[in-house]
Amino acid sequence: MLQEEVVGQVLAEALGRGGDLAEIFAEERSSTGLRLDDRRVEDVASGRETGAGIRVISGDRSSYAYTNLLTADALVEAARAARSGLDGPAGVVASDLRRTQGPSHPVRIPPQEVGAADKASVLVEADDAARAEGGSVRQVSASYSDLRQKVLIASSDGRIAHDDRTRVRFAVQVVALRNGEIATGFEAPGHSGGFELLAPGDPARLGASAARKALTMLDARPSPAGEFPVVLAPGSGGVLIHEACGHGLEADTLVKEASVYANRRDERFGSESVTIVDDGSDVGAWGSFGVDDEGTPAQRTVLFDRGVLVGHMSDLQSARKIGYPPTGNGRRQSYAHLPIVRMTNTYLLPGQDDPVAIFESVPRGVYAATFAGGEVNPATGNFVFGMSEAYMIEDGAVTYPIKGANLIGNGPRVLEVIDAVGSDFGRKEGVCGKDGQAAPVTNGMPTVLLGRVTVGGTEA
Amino acid sequence: LTDLLDLATAIVERATSGEDIEAYVTHERTFQVKAYSSEVESLASAEPRGAGARLIRDHRAGFAYTTDLTDSGLNAVVDRARDNSRHATSDEATSVAPAWSEEPPEISGLVDRSQSDVPADDKVAFVLELERATRAQDPRIRAVEEAVYSDSEAEVAIATSSGVAGSYRRTDAWCYALAIATEGDDTQIGFEFDLARGLAALDADDVARRSAHRALEILGASKIPSGRMSVVFEPYVSAQFLGVLGSALTGEAVQKGRSLFAGKVGTRVAGDGVHLVDDGRLEGAPGSAPWDGEGVPTSRTGVISNGVLDSFLYDTTSARREGRDSTGNASRASFKGVPHPSPTNLALAGTGESPDQIYEQAGKALLVQDFHGVHSGANAVSGDFSVGATGRLLQNGELGAAVKEVTIAAPMLEILKGIQAVGSDLRWLPFGGSFGGATTLIAEMTVAGL
């Protein structure tokens, strides 16, 4: 992508007026995407992008400039833009570049070797299977996308890293309609890997599953409102951990004391059964990579160890401020963005409880099977999550679907009310937004019982 | 740099006979500075440019984009769009925009001519002052998590094989502050922003005051008992509600069975006196442009008139499917995306009351100052709406206790039908589009708390 001589020249230019660290992030990105909607394959799209961003760090201040052109001249010009405002003596660029490397994520079937016709046919298979579930299936949309991103990251302290990332995602959404009632169902797996995400039969299985969810929710009754025990399904419930615990443990918010977890290391927040990790090295997971977007190798970071707060996630800048080594959580949407602290794959690890026994322990409560998403305020820990698939639990058994349910509460308090942690485990892939940047993330957890939490619904 | 319209035309000329093509090319200059704790935290500048090509052959559309604007890059993007078109389903409705009968009139006020001469130092000074002023509002403002100034100068060009060819420029500048207020054990965050065509029109003091006030006034907030009650949306909140509604008001959403408004044209969907208008030509509104993402001239569309659903919003393809004309609502996020219909500037017409009059009219009510979890709790397909809320209790026009950690819920059509007053305090909010918010009284919703 870039010659190492050019890298050295650009870094020297960037530090030409002083600064503590200069860094170049260069990428080549190619992507394809197809969408099926209303029985038509449309929005067949592909993109090619190149670009490089140059960052100069001076104390707590970062300056950034980027260009779409990877020529030496364009990069030098960007380096000059990034150093503007500085007027000190030139900084020193290390002459030997040390290569950093992280875990690799195998790509068995490279998406660029799969024809667009095959990518279109997985959409049609999902559509057909969804519609075969019954006449109440009113609409199906399905999308396929793949991305290959090759990055080079080098910095004036002598680090250089290459990463070659391939991600594939497939999504299907079904709308069902009966007697004026409308309901939706959704499936959206993804991974760091190739087209092997979709084995023969998978698209049809996912289409049928999304359709069955929508059809089930047609019979949903309005959700009750009030405080209830809530059972979280494996996988989907992980978004709660992501929002309620993860964001508050991103070191940029800790440094600013804008987190409810600031200055509370070694405090107990949950029972012995609550262990939470962020793991960008989980092989093949959607939120994984080799090195992060600052060249730090992906790693597994323990956030809560048996209920006690022990860790956080950081990028280079926040790690320096907080006084710990960086954890490999510096990510950026593209060369057009400054790296910020992001989660990767965030998991509440499996515990000892039998999932069936967890349901049997609930006299009256809510089973949150799928969350549509959520939102949290890191400073206060307050969160809200909407459930797109939920059921009542009565006398230990799941009885009927409910709609319009959401979960509202507070991050630290929700860890406190985790009363049981199942021995099973599931993952759900998603896209997390922060500061206007999108990042692929995975949420994972087993079946979990929250003893008492506020459920919002339409039945007062 | 080559003239942008020339680049768009050069792409169009690469189509061969039997092909329709649309080229969309953009060139921006962006700048952003963030302040934290009296210091500049980050500065970023960039000049992104790129082109998207949509090629239609045998009623099949393919799209490709590139940042390589050399001759070979333009050849490649057209070739890839052509390849992609082979895999789309044939669709008679697919089309590029028709030729202009006359050049769409300019929209005045899209460009602040002084903006390109504003030195970076002035922008840095502005954001440092915003940060300082926010902290200075009250001793309980412990910090400003982020104070940001950002701007963009953009040129957009479009050309089609049907003969559309044009370009326009716009400038935008915005700023925001996130104030953190702490009292005892309680911490709250207040977010406020300002948006204009240039730095000169941004008001740092006002943003500082409003963001601090938002954080301070919900300190000590608590849950309230569950029940049915009247609800008042602040402008900031009613704009978010319109944002959800807007996604269900396009012809495409209705045709594809993804709208709660399907089959409801000509029927009553809101109370008497409720008017909802989309206007892509409104001077001073952020979503205005002379033409839309396909090059169709923008227009004014009455969506709900006196409570009756009148029209949806269309791009060229969704309009042709119903044998009608586009309303000029094709939108594209950037050169990397294909156009799809969405609102331009969507707002409820005011019913004449001031916010204070609405507070009084509301009696005992919940004043909602912020929604939480809108993207998960609101479903524009089913019409379910159940979101978290913070705000204040209202009693006979007086603001009472602060409220947090409650959810408010009602089917979206019931909320629309429950609209009893829309205040005169219209404010445009850029929530994934441009939505006009005003203080709005809703007769009744379910509040879930204790």
Side-chain angles (χ1 to χ4, degrees), chain B residues 119-143:
Chain B
D121 285 350
D122 288 11
K123 301 172 184 177
V124 170
F126 177 90
V127 79
L128 288 171
E129 171 57 19
L130 172 61
E131 198 271 340
R132 188 205 62 76
T134 307
R135 256 185 305 121
Q137 294 295 318
D138 192 287
R140 291 170 296 170
I141 301 294
R142 164 161 69 79

Side-chain angles (χ1 to χ4, degrees), chain B residues 235-251:
Chain B
Y236 183 80
V237 161
S238 55
Q240 291 183 62
F241 179 69
L242 288 185
V244 175
L245 221 51
S247 65
L249 288 169
T250 68

Side-chain angles (χ1 to χ4, degrees), chain A residues 29 31-32 34-35 37-51 60-69 77 81-82 84 115-117 120 138-141 173 175 182-184 225-227 253 255-259 317 321 334-336 338 340 371-375 377-380 382-387 403-410 413 435 454-460, chain B residues 30 34-36 39-50 61-68 76 80-81 83-85 87-91 124 142-146 176 180 186-189 223 226-228 252 254-260 262 321 335-336 338-340 371-377 379 381-382 384-389 404-411 446-450:
Chain A
R29 173 188 292 249
S31 60
T32 61
L34 298 89
R35 206 158 66 87
D37 208 354
D38 201 20
R39 309 224 77 164
R40 285 185 292 269
V41 176
E42 53 186 34
D43 293 358
V44 184
S46 54
R48 298 269 166 83
E49 268 185 280
T50 58
D60 288 345
R61 169 177 178 151
S62 301
S63 297
Y64 197 67
Y66 72 83
T67 170
N68 291 136
L69 302 172
E77 191 186 325
S84 70
R138 167 75 180 275
Q139 192 54 277
V140 180
S141 70
Q173 189 210 34
V175 178
I182 297 178
T184 58
E227 294 200 330
T253 63
V255 167
K256 291 183 175 179
E257 298 188 5
S259 164
Q317 274 287 71
K321 290 181 198 169
S334 77
Y335 62 87
L338 271 165
I340 52 176
F371 284 100
E375 192 179 291
N377 179 333
T380 60
N382 292 336
F383 63 75
V384 179
F385 295 90
M387 298 174 212
K403 63 182 173 184
N406 61 24
L407 207 62
I408 185 159
N410 181 275
R413 286 211 300 272
D435 286 2
T454 301
V455 173
T458 46
E459 292 293 285
Chain B
T30 64
K34 293 188 182 186
Y36 177 70
E39 302 284 345
V40 171
E41 183 179 32
S42 70
L43 274 165
S45 61
E47 203 168 332
R49 62 194 83 167
F63 178 78
Y65 68 86
T66 187
T67 55
D68 180 356
R80 284 188 289 118
D83 281 349
N84 289 338
S85 73
H87 304 287
T89 305
S90 175
D91 181 356
V124 170
R142 164 161 69 79
V144 179
E145 187 182 347
E146 256 182 6
Y176 66 84
I180 306 178
D186 195 16
T187 293
Q188 296 293 341
I189 290 213
K223 292 188 188 185
S226 302
R228 303 273 299 169
E252 185 184 26
V254 173
Q255 289 159 6
K256 291 180 171 174
R258 268 198 298 277
S259 169
L260 69 137
R321 211 177 293 293
F335 67 88
K336 298 179 207 173
V338 292
H340 279 283
F371 281 151
H372 308 284
V374 174
H375 63 283
S376 60
N379 187 328
V381 181
S382 65
D384 294 334
F385 189 86
S386 170
V387 303
K404 69 174 180 185
E405 283 186 50
V406 298
T407 64
I408 58 170
T446 301
V447 177
L450 293 171

Side-chain angles (χ1 to χ4, degrees), chain A residues 426-443:
Chain A
R427 289 180 180 80
K428 273 278 194 274
E429 293 74 24
V431 175
C432 170
K434 176 177 171 182
D435 286 2
Q437 297 193 41
V441 297
T442 313
N443 302 316

